[in-house]
Amino acid sequence: MDQSLKETLLDRLRAYLDGLDTADAPESAVAETADASPMATEVAGDPADDEARDLFSVFAEIAATRNEVRTQSRIVKDALDQFRAVFETLQSGNAALDRELKEARARAGEQTRTILRPLLLDIIDVRDRLAAGLAAGPPENRSPWWSRWRRTASVPDSWREGLEMTLRRLDRVLADRRVTPIATIGRPFMPDVARVVATRDDPSVAEGLVIAESRTGFEWDGQLLRAAEVIVAKRAGARDRSDRGDVE
């Protein structure tokens, strides 16, 4: 926009505002002024003044719109801040709830293990007794081949079948509870899951390997439930050989 046009518009706007100040004057003074200077009517009805008033109205509406937009923006910003605070509160609450649920599950798991551990150990003890009784019993009676063609077959060892059936049921119960035996025989001695109850000098076995078990160990969900009692191979040292009178 040209500078001269800007100054003209500002002058007209200033004149318009001055005219507003004189609007509160007495009607008689306004009438005398109108009668004394007929040019005032011509100025009042000048199209340039109408254009200035239109521009002033546009500027006033733009200013009002700008203020309204600022107000609405401030309201939206406050609402977003409140939503952000609520979201952060919900997020922290969910995190705390998740943490409490995990702790509750851990406590429940520990309580379950504390309650079931003695019962599982009792079942394992009963299983050991059954296995020991089955191993210490008389050998199984096997019918000769020619008895198949005889009308009277030999009576099976019912007590052995009963023990074996009970032993299999106990093993199934333990397996359902994720209780598994620990394999130690033929492997290096592992102090984390077994303890040595005896040693044996066996030249055919490498030193430190488990030769036999006096009690089987068990794990529960990957954790030690009962340690195994094992017999470990141990070579006789030079001192033992000297005590026996051997000379190298």
Side-chain angles (χ1 to χ4, degrees):
M1 185 181 291
D2 191 16
Q3 185 66 27
S4 61
L5 181 58
K6 290 182 180 180
E7 293 179 357
T8 303
L9 291 175
L10 290 175
D11 292 339
R12 291 179 180 179
L13 183 60
R14 191 179 297 107
Y16 174 73
L17 294 175
D18 294 338
L20 292 177
D21 293 337
T22 59
D24 296 334
E27 295 180 357
S28 58
V30 174
E32 290 177 357
T33 304
D35 294 339
S37 57
M39 293 297 296
T41 303
E42 297 179 358
V43 174
D46 192 356
D49 293 339
D50 295 337
E51 183 179 359
R53 284 194 295 270
D54 293 338
L55 289 174
F56 177 76
S57 300
V58 171
F59 291 154
E61 291 177 0
I62 291 174
T65 304
R66 183 181 298 173
N67 293 331
E68 185 177 358
V69 169
R70 289 178 179 176
T71 303
Q72 295 296 331
S73 300
R74 190 179 299 108
I75 293 174
V76 172
K77 183 178 179 300
D78 294 338
L80 290 176
D81 293 338
Q82 293 177 0
F83 288 152
R84 188 179 296 107
V86 172
F87 178 76
E88 291 177 354
T89 302
L90 291 176
Q91 189 175 9
S92 61
N94 290 334
L97 181 60
D98 188 30
R99 185 170 58 254
E100 291 178 358
L101 288 176
K102 290 181 179 179
E103 294 176 354
R105 292 193 188 100
R107 289 194 299 269
E110 291 297 331
Q111 291 176 358
T112 302
R113 294 185 68 87
T114 303
I115 294 173
L116 289 180
R117 184 182 179 86
L119 178 60
L120 293 176
L121 291 175
D122 290 341
I123 294 176
I124 292 173
D125 184 64
V126 173
R127 179 197 176 280
D128 290 343
R129 294 176 185 274
L130 289 176
L134 188 62
E140 183 179 1
N141 293 327
R142 295 185 178 274
S143 302
W145 63 270
W146 47 264
S147 64
R148 300 177 184 176
W149 287 275
R150 297 181 59 182
R151 294 183 178 179
T152 58
S154 60
V155 180
D157 295 333
S158 58
W159 68 272
R160 182 181 296 276
E161 292 181 357
L163 287 181
E164 290 177 351
M165 185 180 300
T166 304
L167 192 60
R168 287 194 299 268
R169 289 181 179 178
L170 290 178
D171 289 338
R172 190 179 303 112
V173 169
L174 293 175
D176 292 339
R177 289 353 182 239
R178 299 175 300 279
V179 178
T180 56
I182 302 174
T184 58
I185 298 177
R187 298 184 178 184
F189 171 68
M190 296 179 292
D192 295 337
V193 296
R195 66 172 180 267
V196 179
V197 296
T199 58
R200 184 183 302 169
D201 187 8
D202 192 347
S204 63
V205 180
E207 185 176 6
L209 294 182
V210 177
I211 300 175
E213 287 181 342
S214 61
R215 190 179 73 168
T216 305
F218 287 87
E219 289 182 342
W220 183 19
D221 282 338
Q223 297 182 5
L224 181 64
L225 179 61
R226 190 185 74 174
E229 295 179 355
V230 298
I231 300 173
V232 180
K234 183 178 181 181
R235 297 290 181 83
R239 181 177 179 181
D240 296 336
R241 291 195 299 269
S242 63
D243 292 339
R244 293 196 302 267
D246 298 337
V247 178
E248 295 182 358

